[in-house]
Amino acid sequence: MKRRMNIDEAEPRIYKAMAVADKQWAEFELDRRLQELIRIRVSQINGCGYCIDYHTKDSIALGETTQRLFALAAWWETPFFTEEEQAILQLATEVTRIADHGVSDKTYQRALELLGEKKLAQVIFVTTTINSWNRIAIAMHLVAGED
């Protein structure tokens, strides 16, 4: 795969706007390891190899286990994720695939009960932001491992 244009050079305001969103993540109550799991899972759904590579490295640096990272693609089929993590991953999946069926009431209510409004909002924001990064990376053919 050949990398396309450098979108940051073509229009620097795009990365500046995305950086503002990224900065918010650091201030969230939502655990940083959970944020990385969201980024990786959403990137798996979208097929963004660049973001999977990038956020898997970040996740490992934060202490995530390789067992959980390997199982993330089928999180619902493993015992490795807590009830809260499962609710987060389900919500992130439905937000990412929003055109299919929206976000179900069941998923929303479960996440709300486990997370409360503030963390639920943070999960939605992390999910929508990584979806945007995935679309930029895929459209520009960013290559995994080229940082």
Side-chain angles (χ1 to χ4, degrees):
M1 178 168 63
K2 185 177 181 216
R3 185 177 182 159
R4 294 179 175 159
M5 77 167 170
N6 183 324
I7 199 169
D8 189 32
E9 289 177 6
E11 178 48 85
R13 291 176 290 186
I14 293 169
Y15 272 27
K16 285 180 184 174
M18 294 301 292
V20 169
D22 285 352
K23 186 177 179 191
Q24 297 306 307
W25 294 348
E27 298 173 13
F28 284 169
E29 292 172 12
L30 189 64
D31 182 74
R32 189 70 202 281
R33 283 176 52 187
L34 281 175
Q35 291 182 40
E36 290 302 331
L37 287 178
I38 294 167
R39 291 180 191 129
I40 296 164
R41 181 61 191 136
V42 168
S43 298
Q44 288 173 337
I45 293 167
N46 289 327
C48 185
Y50 179 86
C51 292
I52 292 168
D53 179 63
Y54 187 94
H55 292 290
T56 301
K57 290 174 187 172
D58 285 353
S59 190
I60 289 169
L62 290 169
E64 188 56 76
T65 68
T66 54
Q67 181 183 45
R68 284 169 38 104
L69 291 175
F70 295 152
L72 189 56
W75 59 266
W76 61 94
E77 288 287 336
T78 73
F80 308 138
F81 300 93
T82 68
E83 185 178 5
E84 180 181 270
E85 290 168 337
Q86 290 174 19
I88 287 168
L89 292 168
Q90 184 62 40
L91 179 62
T93 297
E94 290 185 22
V95 169
T96 299
R97 294 181 171 153
I98 203 147
D100 294 345
H101 305 289
V103 175
S104 73
D105 289 339
K106 179 181 177 183
T107 296
Y108 179 84
Q109 286 301 330
R110 182 173 177 223
L112 180 60
E113 289 169 14
L114 291 169
L115 304 173
E117 286 185 345
K118 189 173 188 176
K119 280 188 179 178
L120 182 132
Q122 292 172 356
V123 169
I124 292 170
F125 185 74
V126 171
T127 301
T128 57
T129 306
I130 191 58
N131 269 288
S132 294
W133 276 121
N134 288 166
R135 280 147 178 78
I136 291 168
I138 291 167
M140 294 302 101
H141 283 183
L142 297 185
V143 179
E146 289 185 5
D147 290 317

